[in-house]
Amino acid sequence: MTDPNTSQPSTNHSKNHQTDSPIGGSASDSTARSSNASAVITTVSKRNTIIGIVVAFVIGAVLGVLILGAFTSLKPNGSTSSTVGNTASPAADATNDSCDTTFTVVASVNQWGSLAQQLGGSCATVTSLINSTSADPHDYEATASDLAKLAKADIVVLNGAGYDSWAEKAQLDTKRQAVVNVGDLMGITATEEHEHDHDHADGEEGHHHHHGSTNPHLWFSPEAVLKAAEAINAAYTDKAGASSATAATAQRHFNEWNGEYADFVTLVNKARSTDVQRRYVATESIISYLLEYIGAIDKTPATYTNAMNSEAEPSAADLKNAMNIVSGNDMDLLVVNPQEMNGFAKKLNEAAQSSNKTIISVTEQLPENQKTLLGWLTLIANQALAADTTNGYFLTQDVKDRSLSDYEGEWQSVYPLLQDGTLDKVMEAKAKKGDMTAAEYTKYYDVGYKTDVERIAIKGDQMSFTRGGKTATATYEYSGFKILDYAKGNRGVRYLFTATGDAPEGAPKIVQFSDHGIAPTKAAHFHIFMGNDSQEETLKEMDNWPTYYPASMSKEEVATEMLAH
């Protein structure tokens, strides 16, 4: 049972939706690796035991008062402001956290800040100095306030590899602070070719994005993300003390995170086992780590990539070659960075649009609608693999026209089944896996399923709608399909039909089907959107999607079928 606008079981009334190891080691190995992670971070030296106890008692009392006051102003669900330098709130699952020590954590960018927050929960107050997709990290100039926050933090998380050299130059006290530098964890050090030059010639616009032979966008590397998670967990444990409540809380969060990482690995391995391969062209190579990890094949002309990485203009021949590849049959995906859509990127984007190709838009910073780094990587992997049509991940070029015959038959509304309690067990099952109670799910689906059309019969080009024992029939013609992009990253397809002539009272002028299919096939069930204005107006409906199953099925069979989905 899914929301057709999300292609996923829905948890709220939003119209949007929002999932090296196998390939080089198992996620289950991460606990063993974490014991080594502390070797690459700098921690506080041990103090005299008696003095430490006294100091901890005093600090604990003060922090207790501060934390209680701070909680009244923290945002829920681990959300962060879109402004630069704001403090992130503890994650939503941190309500049961026990903290005898709390830490201030400062990350140079929100990609790593979100990871630190997820792993620290209520025991960490995390500030990401660059915390918005509207901020350009390559042109970023650290303020005195930024440098002060870095110097005062208990734990500092840097990307390294020359990406955030402005933060690496801060006056950090490695005897007092724990510093996690992901570039160092990966053995990638900053060199001149990786440094971002902020000096512009007179009249020159844009920034210098020199990466040379090394890609510093390490948060797109699953291996780097795993190592960073281990190192951050080790920093929390080492600074709090292995036997502390804070360390236990951090370990619980890390174990939960590690389970999510295992799910991510499973997603990639499943695609590899079914030989899913995607060919791509990229306007920038920022997510090449992730694309390599999932086995995607880079079809971007090397001369074009080299020119873009060195901020030179691709030659006319190189640009034409890239555009031909995008428009041809030897490419599945175009990857763009909306923060860097220069003239060349726009031309490739236009070529992808005109040839009906899939376009994946990926920012450098964690987008405002993504809560966690790993969740974001999972989303991008799903978009690139495009191998889960049911949940809204598919290639644009694979969407095909369909006829009314795909929906032929007699159908019953599930709304009466929700009202009479037949679907109670379905709601209870959803509550066990989701983040709402069974009663809350029932309320949500009461809005989604609500309709007075008890039955729909479809034969040939005619549809009949039965309300209160009265039936109205109209003839419909196919009006094409519309791909809807949802804010949380997945997509859906609606197949559009329009009544010919004047539809009688009781028969809608506009009908749109969504059954999670993208090509001709017999529907097992469907969601329907009905209106009397226009296709465009009906496409705006996101909250009400009456759902129909074959009329031949019993109530119990419908419920069983829903449980299976």
Side-chain angles (χ1 to χ4, degrees):
M1 177 179 55
T2 57
D3 177 338
N5 301 310
T6 66
S7 297
Q8 291 277 22
S10 184
T11 58
N12 55 49
H13 291 273
S14 170
K15 62 183 68 175
N16 308 318
H17 173 77
Q18 311 218 325
T19 102
D20 204 279
S21 241
I23 307 177
S26 165
S28 61
D29 295 336
S30 59
T31 301
R33 290 186 199 151
S34 65
S35 62
N36 299 322
S38 59
V40 294
I41 61 175
T42 309
T43 59
V44 171
S45 60
K46 296 183 179 179
R47 291 186 174 89
N48 178 277
T49 302
I50 297 176
I51 294 176
I53 292 174
V54 174
V55 172
F57 177 81
V58 174
I59 293 177
V62 174
L63 285 176
V65 174
L66 293 176
I67 292 168
L68 285 173
F71 278 151
T72 63
S73 60
L74 289 176
K75 297 180 181 179
N77 300 323
S79 62
T80 60
S81 169
S82 61
T83 59
V84 176
N86 222 24
T87 299
S89 305
D93 63 352
T95 53
N96 296 322
D97 288 354
S98 177
C99 310
D100 47 15
T101 304
T102 59
F103 301 118
T104 57
V105 182
V106 175
S108 59
V109 292
N110 69 349
Q111 301 92 300
W112 298 120
S114 68
L115 178 61
Q117 187 68 78
Q118 185 179 9
L119 296 174
S122 295
C123 300
T125 298
V126 181
T127 298
S128 296
L129 298 180
I130 295 182
N131 194 32
S132 170
T133 55
S134 64
D136 190 336
H138 308 104
D139 282 341
Y140 190 71
E141 298 288 350
T143 66
S145 175
D146 292 338
L147 297 177
K149 289 174 183 176
L150 286 166
K152 293 177 182 178
D154 298 310
I155 298 171
V156 174
V157 184
L158 306 175
N159 183 79
Y163 184 80
D164 48 4
S165 55
W166 51 269
E168 292 183 86
K169 294 175 182 177
Q171 298 297 313
L172 303 178
D173 181 358
T174 56
K175 293 183 179 180
R176 180 186 64 80
Q177 298 173 288
V179 179
V180 176
N181 185 309
V182 184
D184 290 348
L185 293 173
M186 294 295 291
I188 301 174
T189 57
T191 64
E192 242 180 71
E193 63 177 354
H194 304 146
E195 295 284 353
H196 299 292
D197 182 2
H198 302 299
D199 297 326
H200 304 306
D202 291 341
E204 181 184 358
E205 295 181 359
H207 65 261
H208 295 283
H209 196 171
H210 299 299
H211 294 155
S213 59
T214 300
N215 183 348
H217 304 92
L218 297 174
W219 57 92
F220 289 121
S221 163
E223 180 185 2
V225 171
L226 178 59
K227 287 185 176 181
E230 293 169 341
I232 292 169
N233 180 60
Y236 288 147
T237 300
D238 290 350
K239 289 188 73 64
S243 60
S244 66
T246 292
T249 293
Q251 188 61 45
R252 174 171 59 82
H253 285 303
F254 177 76
N255 292 342
E256 292 169 354
W257 181 92
N258 203 40
E260 295 174 11
Y261 188 88
D263 291 339
F264 169 76
V265 168
T266 299
L267 166 68
V268 176
N269 282 346
K270 181 180 178 181
R272 288 190 171 229
S273 69
T274 55
D275 200 30
V276 173
Q277 283 192 334
R278 297 302 179 206
R279 302 157 298 174
Y280 72 94
V281 168
T283 60
E284 286 190 45
S285 56
I286 60 172
I287 66 168
S288 60
Y289 285 123
L290 180 57
L291 293 172
E292 290 169 7
Y293 184 82
I294 68 174
I297 300 170
D298 189 359
K299 305 296 289 187
T300 314
T303 51
Y304 179 92
T305 299
N306 292 338
M308 296 307 295
N309 282 347
S310 61
E311 291 209 343
E313 290 191 1
S315 68
D318 291 336
L319 179 60
K320 187 176 186 299
N321 185 25
M323 292 176 65
N324 288 339
I325 293 174
V326 170
S327 301
N329 296 323
D330 198 30
M331 189 212 76
D332 301 307
L333 313 163
L334 175 68
V335 181
V336 302
N337 175 3
Q339 291 174 277
E340 295 296 328
M341 290 299 287
N342 59 28
F344 304 105
K346 289 178 180 178
K347 288 183 181 297
L348 293 183
N349 194 70
E350 291 168 0
Q353 289 177 331
S354 62
S355 58
N356 202 37
K357 293 296 179 61
T358 303
I359 300 173
I360 298 178
S361 180
V362 183
T363 57
E364 295 200 32
Q365 278 69 58
L366 186 73
E368 282 77 3
N369 65 345
Q370 295 296 319
K371 295 180 180 179
T372 66
L373 175 58
L374 187 55
W376 188 34
L377 296 189
T378 302
L379 170 62
I380 298 170
N382 268 315
Q383 291 176 327
L385 291 169
D388 187 3
T389 302
T390 299
N391 288 317
Y393 302 106
F394 51 83
L395 295 177
T396 300
Q397 53 269 37
D398 285 346
V399 181
K400 308 299 180 184
D401 289 313
R402 298 172 70 179
S403 68
L404 203 54
S405 62
D406 280 358
Y407 308 97
E408 190 161 301
E410 295 190 6
W411 305 87
Q412 61 176 312
S413 168
V414 302
Y415 187 52
L417 280 60
L418 182 71
Q419 291 180 304
D420 69 15
T422 302
L423 301 185
D424 284 354
K425 55 187 176 183
V426 179
M427 301 298 129
E428 291 166 1
K430 289 182 65 60
K432 291 180 181 179
K433 297 180 180 180
D435 58 1
M436 291 196 298
T437 66
E440 289 171 330
Y441 276 113
T442 299
K443 183 177 180 181
Y444 170 75
Y445 281 99
D446 187 78
V447 175
Y449 290 159
K450 190 171 185 177
T451 182
D452 60 355
V453 179
E454 302 117 7
R455 296 218 167 200
I456 296 176
I458 303 172
K459 186 175 182 179
D461 59 359
Q462 292 190 323
M463 296 183 65
S464 299
F465 302 84
T466 301
R467 293 177 172 86
K470 295 182 179 181
T471 300
T473 302
T475 301
Y476 294 83
E477 62 182 5
Y478 181 55
S479 301
F481 62 78
K482 178 68 174 179
I483 299 176
L484 300 179
D485 293 305
Y486 304 128
K488 290 191 177 180
N490 63 344
R491 304 190 293 169
V493 182
R494 289 195 201 173
Y495 288 90
L496 319 179
F497 295 85
T498 306
T500 59
D502 294 327
E505 185 177 353
K509 176 183 177 181
I510 302 299
V511 171
Q512 300 175 354
F513 290 98
S514 173
D515 63 341
H516 314 294
I518 63 171
T521 187
K522 177 62 178 175
H525 77 277
F526 61 77
H527 313 281
I528 192 169
F529 302 80
M530 297 174 279
N532 289 308
D533 294 321
S534 65
Q535 294 289 358
E536 291 72 21
E537 282 300 311
T538 306
L539 284 168
K540 296 177 182 178
E541 176 58 66
M542 295 287 177
D543 297 322
N544 177 238
W545 19 267
T547 301
Y548 292 79
Y549 275 75
S552 60
M553 297 177 69
S554 69
K555 293 181 177 182
E556 290 70 24
E557 287 173 333
V558 172
T560 299
E561 181 69 15
M562 286 185 168
L563 284 169
H565 291 84

